[in-house]
Amino acid sequence: MAVPGPKQQQEEEASATPLHIVVFPWLAFGHLIPFLELSKRLAARGHAVTFLSTPRNIARLPPVPEGLSGRVRFVALPLPAVDGLPEGAESTADVPPEKVDLLKVAFDGLAAPFADFLAAACAGDRSAGEHEGFGRKTDWIVLDFAHYWACPIAEKHKVLCALFHIATAAMHAYMGSRQDNASNPRATVEDFMPMPRWFSSPPSLAFRRQEAAWMAGVFRPNFSGVTDAVRVWRVQHHSRLLVVRSCPELEPRALPLLAELHRKPVVPAGLLLPADHRRDDDGEHGCHGSSGGSEVAARSGALRWLDEQPSGSVVYVALGSEAPVTAEGVRELALGLELSGARFLWALRLPSGATDAAAPPLLPDGFEARTRGRGAVCTGWVPQTRVLAHAAVGAFLTHCGWGSAAENLKFGHPLVMLPFIVDQGLIARMMAERGIGVEVDRRDDGWFGREDVAAAVRRVMVEEEGKMLALNARSLHEVVVGDDGGRQERYVDELVECLQAELRRGY
């Protein structure tokens, strides 16, 4: 057996040494949760992870499994007050859409406390945590799109940065680099509807007008003084690696294109799918349904209601925590579910500041009485993973947020798709291209009616087309996830190898 040389021994020792990785997500739960899932997987592989956010956001995160708690520490940075930003608002869930720019102003005020934190972390404070990794200088900082000011601070301490894209590779390839946009400028909403010239794709992979209008806003000045596009470009420019919550099985063309556009290594982290288990004390929330509207724990109530339904007969309806659904949209969705004749379990998000008592007025008069026995409406927290895993669920009506769409791949359900903003429309078209779902028809301004909802639900749940959609969804599940989910976990192993390899290259 050959004796390893000094260089090989040094590399093996470096690979075996726990990394100290700082992760710092944007102030939105659609970002906080994927960063937390990544943190847990890094910790499970023996690395020390410092999770930075604001006090209230940290308090609202789900707990880290007991076995990993010694390797994940949470550090709260105080969010500065900004005129016009509601007191206690620390995430996009706390503010209406028109005040998100104020949240960015407050977020930019975290530069100074972040600099103080990193200086202390790089000094190797061994009292910072029990795990030996916290006692070493920070090796990596994993940043989000908004942190354009963090990279210069990291450079002062010679700490490597990686940008973690929580959205699809296709979304970021669509955005392109600063140079691509300078050479091929997009000015009007119509310019933002098709895929750009540098992204060869089917004509169906495009944004609708109301979606393109939102995308155009990413490239335009906002109250913070820095466009979202410029934020992303600056972080990308200073990052050694671009990490994407995706995998080649889903995006075989977009991942290499992203590396080509930015001339940097692009590393898929996999989908970071949640674990199957959930705690038994997840809290009690109202669930109104076939029991006549009696309040029960959403965790047990939703699942108990599903236990009474035939296998594969229920469409689970959930539009995420921040989809901009109007009261009119809620009513049309309700009437569409009623018209479809399908069984449904609806996780209905209440308007900001509302209580369970305010839920019934959102729904059409008599809706719950007319659908009693085949429908349930839950206005509190619903255990989505367990619901999607339940045998009674046969389809998922979703806004096509990447988190929900990826989570659904774990269970292989066909989709009824009702996208709103960000990359949701792009994801819906990607899933339609894969033959696993249908979109609710909408007007150019984004309006949809009850008949549109009913028709899409019937196509998936009642008509012959639904059988092929279900078969395709199960096939995609096998390709992307497999029987044991190990395929996705291997991407995290490869990411760790990349982090260690880049660290060996030096700053």
Side-chain angles (χ1 to χ4, degrees):
M1 180 180 296
V3 178
K7 182 178 180 181
Q8 183 180 348
Q9 286 181 329
Q10 289 176 358
E11 290 183 353
E12 289 176 353
E13 289 173 2
S15 297
T17 302
L19 298 172
H20 179 196
I21 303 168
V22 173
V23 302
F24 193 2
W26 161 241
L27 308 179
F29 280 89
H31 293 243
L32 289 156
I33 296 302
F35 270 76
L36 182 60
E37 290 294 335
L38 178 61
S39 299
K40 291 190 292 186
R41 281 161 172 79
L42 294 171
R45 287 156 174 81
H47 305 289
V49 181
T50 298
F51 191 105
L52 298 183
S53 192
T54 59
R56 188 165 181 236
N57 287 333
I58 289 174
R60 291 183 287 185
L61 286 171
V64 172
E66 187 174 344
L68 302 179
S69 58
R71 294 195 289 273
V72 179
R73 64 168 177 162
F74 295 91
V75 174
L77 303 180
L79 192 69
V82 170
D83 288 343
L85 194 65
E87 184 178 354
E90 296 186 7
S91 84
T92 56
D94 302 326
V95 297
E98 63 270 17
K99 293 201 173 185
V100 170
D101 287 349
L102 290 176
L103 192 64
K104 290 171 187 168
V105 174
F107 180 76
D108 291 344
L110 291 177
F114 171 74
D116 292 341
F117 156 79
L118 190 59
C122 288
D125 181 5
R126 292 192 173 274
S127 66
E130 297 178 1
H131 189 260
E132 61 183 87
F134 292 122
R136 61 179 286 164
K137 177 186 174 183
T138 301
D139 296 304
W140 281 92
I141 301 175
V142 180
L143 297 168
D144 211 331
F145 82 95
H147 302 58
Y148 71 96
W149 39 262
C151 296
I153 296 170
E155 289 173 353
K156 286 183 180 179
H157 298 279
K158 292 183 165 46
V159 177
L160 296 176
C161 292
L163 171 57
F164 180 30
H165 288 308
I166 59 99
T168 60
M171 164 71 166
H172 292 284
Y174 164 90
M175 285 189 64
S177 68
R178 187 192 293 265
Q179 293 78 9
D180 295 319
N181 282 273
S183 302
N184 301 275
R186 293 175 280 187
T188 67
V189 170
E190 287 77 13
D191 292 337
F192 285 91
M193 291 175 68
M195 291 296 104
R197 294 179 182 178
W198 58 82
F199 194 163
S200 176
S201 61
S204 58
L205 202 62
F207 284 107
R208 307 282 191 249
R209 177 174 292 277
Q210 82 279 0
E211 299 159 353
W214 191 94
M215 290 304 307
V218 171
F219 293 80
R220 291 173 181 160
N222 58 55
F223 192 76
S224 73
V226 184
T227 70
D228 287 350
V230 168
R231 288 175 183 270
V232 175
W233 292 333
R234 288 185 183 177
V235 182
Q236 284 173 330
H237 175 73
H238 290 278
S239 294
R240 181 74 69 87
L241 296 176
L242 305 182
V243 182
V244 187
R245 186 189 185 187
S246 188
C247 61
E249 291 87 353
L250 278 177
E251 300 193 271
R253 291 179 299 171
L255 284 163
L257 175 59
L258 195 59
E260 179 184 332
L261 292 173
H262 296 288
R263 297 176 176 83
K264 291 180 183 291
V266 172
V267 186
L271 299 178
L272 304 176
L273 300 170
D276 289 329
H277 67 277
R278 287 292 185 269
R279 298 177 305 138
D280 290 333
D281 58 342
D282 279 315
E284 296 188 355
H285 303 272
C287 180
H288 309 275
S290 59
S291 62
S294 62
E295 295 209 343
V296 293
R299 182 191 66 81
S300 58
L303 297 173
R304 193 160 54 237
W305 184 86
L306 286 172
D307 289 340
E308 300 170 358
Q309 312 308 315
S311 178
S313 67
V314 175
V315 57
Y316 171 56
V317 183
L319 300 180
S321 60
E322 298 179 39
V325 190
T326 63
E328 180 187 21
V330 170
R331 288 192 293 271
E332 291 299 318
L333 179 54
L335 292 171
L337 291 170
E338 182 181 347
L339 280 173
S340 74
R343 298 174 186 269
F344 63 88
L345 172 65
W346 187 359
L348 174 59
R349 179 182 62 87
L350 297 176
S352 178
T355 63
D356 282 1
L362 283 174
L363 301 173
D365 289 343
F367 169 76
E368 289 185 284
R370 293 192 302 271
T371 59
R372 184 171 295 134
R374 68 172 178 89
V377 179
C378 296
T379 55
W381 180 85
V382 173
Q384 181 158 293
T385 300
R386 286 186 174 180
V387 167
L388 289 172
H390 199 284
V393 173
F396 184 14
L397 195 162
T398 172
H399 64 310
C400 279
W402 189 224
S404 291
E407 189 171 0
N408 179 69
L409 290 171
K410 184 172 185 177
F411 306 102
H413 296 304
L415 300 173
V416 179
M417 301 179 290
L418 189 62
F420 290 89
I421 56 172
V422 201
D423 59 343
Q424 295 164 9
L426 190 59
I427 293 167
R429 263 116 263 168
M430 289 169 57
M431 296 298 112
E433 282 286 327
R434 294 277 190 162
I436 72 165
V438 298
E439 243 185 284
V440 175
D441 283 339
R442 304 172 90 147
R443 294 190 318 212
D444 281 349
D445 63 1
W447 184 90
F448 62 90
R450 63 199 72 174
E451 294 85 0
D452 304 313
V453 173
V457 172
R458 287 195 195 104
R459 285 178 63 186
V460 176
M461 294 296 293
V462 179
E463 297 174 9
E464 194 67 21
E465 180 183 5
K467 295 179 181 178
M468 183 55 67
L469 293 168
L471 180 62
N472 292 341
R474 288 192 294 271
S475 297
L476 187 58
H477 159 81
E478 292 299 327
V479 169
V480 175
V481 181
D483 291 333
D484 60 359
R487 185 173 302 149
Q488 291 296 315
E489 291 301 312
R490 284 194 289 275
Y491 288 117
V492 182
D493 294 331
E494 293 169 4
L495 169 60
V496 170
E497 291 173 6
C498 287
L499 294 174
Q500 291 168 329
E502 290 295 321
L503 193 62
R504 289 195 295 271
R505 283 181 54 199
Y507 184 78

